[in-house]
């Protein structure tokens, strides 16, 4: 794999770079040799953040982790990436009908371990007409991370959601 390192508010030392490359290289078995890996390390206040993006054909495997030390964040991000790869392996191959950047050995084992998608719970509810601000307040009252509503101005189904930074996002059909 080819690595690209970027640092924001941090100087990436050789030891830090070598540690990250050694940990990420454990994922080599899942990808071909020409796969690019983008690693961004940053520091915000006392929070050490690492973001790893691995572009594959028509998709991206991405994980971001926060920790008090960059070495702990690296360990955590590898676990998340491996879970993501294993969870989405069938989806990736089925969607593209070939392995893309995945290694041949890994692509061949994908069909052997067919887990499928299991929907554990289904819910039905009335979609009320309201404006996005009212939907955000309703979502906060319910304590959910997202809320589906009918936009009173456009009469279309919209979604508001709470972002990681505590702000709100709004999805509307185009």
């Amino acid at each position: 794999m080819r690595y690209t390192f970027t640092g924001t508010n941090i100087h990436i030392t050789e030891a830090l770079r070598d540690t990250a490359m050694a940990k990420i290289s454990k994922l080599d078995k899942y990808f071909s040799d020409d796969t690019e890996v983008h690693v961004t390390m940053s520091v915000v206040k006392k929070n050490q953040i690492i973001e790893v993006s691995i572009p594959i054909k028509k998709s991206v495997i991405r994980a971001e982790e926060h920790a008090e030390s960059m070495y702990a964040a690296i360990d955590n991000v590898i676990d998340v990436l491996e879970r993501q790869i294993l969870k989405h392996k069938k989806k990736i191959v089925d969607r593209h009908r070939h392995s893309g950047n995945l290694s041949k050995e890994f692509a061949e084992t994908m069909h052997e371990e067919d887990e499928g998608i299991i929907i554990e719970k289904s819910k039905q509810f009335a979609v009320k007409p309201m404006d996005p601000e009212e939907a955000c307040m309703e979502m906060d009252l319910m304590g959910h991370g997202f809320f589906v509503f009918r936009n009173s101005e456009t009469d279309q189904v919209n979604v508001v959601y709470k972002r990681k930074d505590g702000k709100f996002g709004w999805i509307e059909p185009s």
Side-chain angles (χ1 to χ4, degrees):
M1 292 196 291
R2 296 183 314 235
Y3 299 90
T4 304
F5 286 88
T6 307
T8 306
N9 298 330
I10 186 174
H11 173 71
I12 301 175
T13 63
E14 285 299 316
L16 199 54
R17 182 185 312 255
D18 291 344
T19 300
M21 286 176 66
K23 299 279 185 170
I24 295 171
S25 69
K26 292 179 182 177
L27 304 176
D28 279 348
K29 61 186 174 187
Y30 301 120
F31 299 101
S32 60
D33 293 335
D34 63 341
T35 303
E36 293 184 25
V37 178
H38 303 284
V39 180
T40 304
M41 297 179 185
S42 58
V43 177
V44 178
K45 297 185 181 176
K46 293 183 180 181
N47 218 2
Q48 309 283 321
I49 304 167
I50 184 168
E51 176 187 329
V52 179
S53 298
I54 306 172
I56 57 175
K57 189 167 185 135
K58 295 186 181 180
S59 187
V60 175
I61 295 178
R62 181 186 173 282
E64 179 178 316
E65 283 296 313
H66 305 252
E68 289 186 16
S69 80
M70 189 59 74
Y71 294 101
I74 292 169
D75 289 338
N76 295 342
V77 82
I78 297 305
D79 294 339
V80 171
L81 284 169
E82 194 158 29
R83 281 195 312 264
Q84 258 189 7
I85 292 166
L86 294 174
K87 181 179 177 185
H88 296 292
K89 67 183 177 180
K90 181 182 181 305
K91 178 179 166 184
I92 292 168
V93 170
D94 286 348
R95 183 187 307 158
H96 303 299
R97 294 287 179 224
H98 65 299
S99 61
N101 286 5
L102 300 176
S103 70
K104 289 180 182 176
E105 297 82 21
F106 184 59
E108 290 168 0
T109 63
M110 287 187 192
H111 297 293
E112 297 170 5
E113 302 173 12
D114 187 11
E115 294 176 7
I117 297 173
I118 299 170
I119 298 174
E120 292 184 13
K121 188 175 180 179
S122 175
K123 223 180 206 185
Q124 292 181 349
F125 60 95
V127 182
K128 302 175 189 175
M130 59 181 71
D131 59 41
E133 291 79 15
E134 186 180 352
C136 289
M137 289 189 300
E138 187 82 21
M139 176 183 61
D140 270 348
L141 288 173
M142 293 172 48
H144 289 167
F146 69 94
F147 186 75
V148 179
F149 68 101
R150 183 170 302 279
N151 192 322
S152 57
E153 293 177 13
T154 63
D155 203 40
Q156 291 184 322
V157 174
N158 289 196
V159 176
V160 290
Y161 60 96
K162 188 163 252 182
R163 298 167 33 107
K164 285 183 181 179
D165 61 6
K167 298 178 181 174
F168 295 100
W170 175 19
I171 301 172
E172 59 180 332
S174 56

